[in-house]
Amino acid sequence: MTDSLPSESAQIVVIGSGSWGSTLAWLFSTAGKRVRLWTRNEAKAEAIRKTGMVEGPLRVGLPKSVEICCDLPAALSGADIVILACTSQSMREVSGNLAAAWALDASAGKRTILVSAVKGLELHSFKRMSEVLEELLPGFPVCALSGPNLADEILRGLPAASVVASKPPHLYSVQKALSTSRFRLYANTDIVGVELGGSLKNIIAVAAGISDGLNLGDNAKAALLTRGIAEMSRLAVAMGAQSSTLAGLAGMGDLFATCASANSRNHRLGIALAKGQSCEDALRELGAVAEGVPTTHAVCELSQSMKLELPIAQIVEETLEGKTTPERAIMTLMARPLASE
């Protein structure tokens, strides 16, 4: 794909038919773009073909133009943009599968732009999703898509804005190709900040859910979000991000949306913890991945090696692990030594 590629002609392939992948396939296809949706589950693929519907987070109809694929090499054939909408901890496996599929056709792939729509860090390696892609698929242009994009609102046709991050010139090609009348994309060259903003806000969203579940009020939540963005920025800048990115859509914008929405998985997890559920029971009830859990563990492990103080992340981890109660967690934060802002 080159920078001159007309946006309407791009072949978009979405890898992953979960909530976010299905939402993106619906979003781009209803805007008249060419879309394939890949799922590894043949029964699910057949159900989508038969009903023409995706089931979550809302039940909506997919345009008949969307191709539903289970065969990965066939799905990738002629792809201009491949959007990965898997989980953070499956990104390595999925990337390896893409590499194997493209290896079957030496002429394919290298012109394809990879777009990570996944918000999280890989456990133990602490790698961002773009770094995993670059490791497994060297030579491919890689972008990150992140922002305040609650899937249920997008599926209701409500307007949203997001950020696509990478380096020119393919950055602007992707911006043009994925923008729609109801999905405004901003370009950003700080891929580190964009990815970390989307990942780290999930930790604060769990804490915000705990605050709401305990009915601590708006003053407490405002303080939590403000100190949360400071904590996110501290780690992100230490990892090479620009602080201004954390004040934008991919940082503060995503944080506010996630911490305010009753449909945010991480916020709902925090509420469940506040009501006395264990992390395991809460996740089972959610029936879906809450990226704040592995990201919290990765960040706390990373903060030790970097000698960074991240009190909100640390207290969220202790709560997730059952080492403290939500009530004690809040009091621990309130009892920290007085400091300047």
Side-chain angles (χ1 to χ4, degrees):
M1 183 175 178
T2 67
D3 196 44
S4 60
L5 180 74
S7 60
E8 64 270 14
S9 69
Q11 176 64 65
I12 300 168
V13 178
V14 179
I15 301 296
S17 61
S19 171
W20 188 221
S22 298
T23 297
L24 290 173
W26 177 89
L27 171 67
F28 299 130
S29 61
T30 54
K33 301 179 186 296
R34 296 192 297 144
V35 177
R36 288 193 198 115
L37 177 63
W38 178 84
T39 176
R40 69 176 69 203
N41 187 316
E42 179 60 50
K44 186 173 185 178
E46 188 55 36
I48 297 173
R49 292 190 195 105
K50 183 177 180 179
T51 66
M53 308 291 287
V54 292
E55 300 295 332
L58 299 177
R59 193 169 191 268
V60 298
L62 275 177
K64 293 182 179 179
S65 60
V66 178
E67 299 178 58
I68 311 299
C69 300
C70 268
D71 182 88
L72 190 55
L76 296 173
S77 177
D80 294 303
I81 298 174
V82 170
I83 302 175
L84 292 102
C86 53
T87 65
S88 60
Q89 305 313 306
S90 67
M91 178 63 90
R92 183 169 294 273
E93 177 189 357
V94 172
S95 300
N97 291 339
L98 292 181
W102 268 314
L104 299 175
D105 183 353
S107 65
K110 289 294 185 181
R111 72 188 188 94
T112 304
I113 298 176
L114 306 175
V115 178
S116 167
V118 183
K119 299 174 180 179
L121 295 174
E122 188 177 49
L123 281 167
H124 309 307
S125 76
F126 315 127
K127 288 189 174 183
R128 294 174 283 106
M129 297 298 97
S130 67
E131 292 179 304
V132 176
L133 284 169
E134 288 166 349
E135 178 188 342
L136 275 294
L137 292 153
F140 283 75
V142 176
C143 299
L145 177 68
S146 193
N149 303 141
L150 297 164
D152 66 303
E153 292 191 3
I154 289 175
L155 290 172
R156 283 158 50 201
L158 299 177
S162 195
V163 181
V164 61
S166 188
K167 297 177 181 178
H170 53 266
L171 168 61
Y172 303 110
S173 290
V174 173
Q175 180 188 28
K176 293 175 185 176
L178 299 186
S179 292
T180 79
S181 61
R182 298 195 179 189
F183 188 65
R184 180 176 174 82
L185 271 179
Y186 289 83
N188 193 319
T189 56
D190 179 19
I191 192 170
V192 178
V194 167
E195 287 191 288
L196 289 177
S199 301
L200 302 179
K201 59 87 187 175
N202 285 326
I203 302 172
I204 312 304
V206 175
I210 292 173
S211 177
D212 287 341
L214 294 175
N215 296 311
L216 297 183
D218 293 335
N219 288 337
K221 189 170 180 180
L224 177 65
L225 267 59
T226 304
R227 297 314 305 161
I229 196 70
E231 187 166 307
M232 290 166 58
S233 298
R234 190 181 313 135
L235 176 59
V237 169
M239 294 177 69
Q242 299 171 19
S243 60
S244 59
T245 303
L246 276 294
L249 280 170
M252 191 180 299
D254 202 358
L255 176 68
F256 288 172
T258 306
C259 292
S261 174
N263 294 309
S264 161
R265 295 174 186 174
N266 296 287
H267 185 262
R268 287 161 58 197
L269 171 62
I271 290 176
L273 294 171
K275 300 303 182 185
Q277 285 188 274
S278 69
C279 180
E280 292 75 14
D281 288 344
L283 289 174
R284 192 177 302 113
E285 189 173 292
L286 278 177
V289 173
E291 286 288 1
V293 176
T295 301
T296 297
H297 296 315
V299 163
C300 287
E301 188 178 347
L302 179 61
S303 68
Q304 293 179 10
S305 64
M306 297 180 70
K307 294 183 169 50
L308 280 176
E309 193 174 20
L310 304 175
I312 299 175
Q314 289 161 4
I315 205 69
V316 167
E317 182 176 56
E318 290 180 17
T319 307
L320 291 172
E321 294 178 343
K323 294 178 179 178
T324 190
T325 65
E327 293 85 356
R328 284 202 302 267
I330 296 297
M331 294 311 299
T332 298
L333 289 175
M334 292 295 290
R336 284 175 49 77
L338 298 177
S340 300
E341 188 174 34

